[in-house]
Amino acid sequence: VQLQASGGGLVQTGGSLRLSCAASGSIFSINAIDWYRQARGKQRELVAAITSGGSTNYADSVKGRFTISRDNAKNTAYLQMNSLKPEDTAVYYCHALIKRLTMSPVNSYWGQGTQVTVSS
């Protein structure tokens, strides 16, 4: 199983970006999908999460600006980021809890990260 994150880039303050996280390989089911970010010199932090049922959770710093969603048919999750601020600059990682087969345990997978840079 692989997670491929994409959609990062350079944007001005107030701009928008949409990140994608596509899961591929042998997948029976995907439970929660999360987006984390790690700014230079800081610890990785949870940005947003979505369960298999569609319940969402956000860090206080992004509430009202970011929206996480998922397309179960495509095994893909998205992070729509609006009203971006310089403090949103970080490498963004997707993470998912995935069952590969019916009787398999749930395992944790990480994407490779995508850089988001917000200029002031």
Side-chain angles (χ1 to χ4, degrees), residues 28-29 99-107:
F28 174 73
S29 65
K99 289 188 67 171
R100 295 186 61 193
L101 301 171
T102 306
M103 299 303 294
S104 297
V106 175
N107 289 320

Side-chain angles (χ1 to χ4, degrees), residues 4-7 18-22 33-37 44-50 67-69 77-80 92-95 110 113-114:
Q4 180 71 42
S6 61
R18 188 173 87 148
L19 306 184
S20 298
C21 175
I33 302 176
D34 318 304
W35 284 97
Y36 286 77
R37 68 185 180 188
R44 191 172 296 189
E45 61 174 352
L46 178 64
V47 175
I50 185 168
T67 302
I68 188 171
S69 62
Y78 306 95
L79 185 67
Q80 178 66 45
Y92 284 70
Y93 299 90
C94 61
H95 167 262
W110 288 90
T114 184

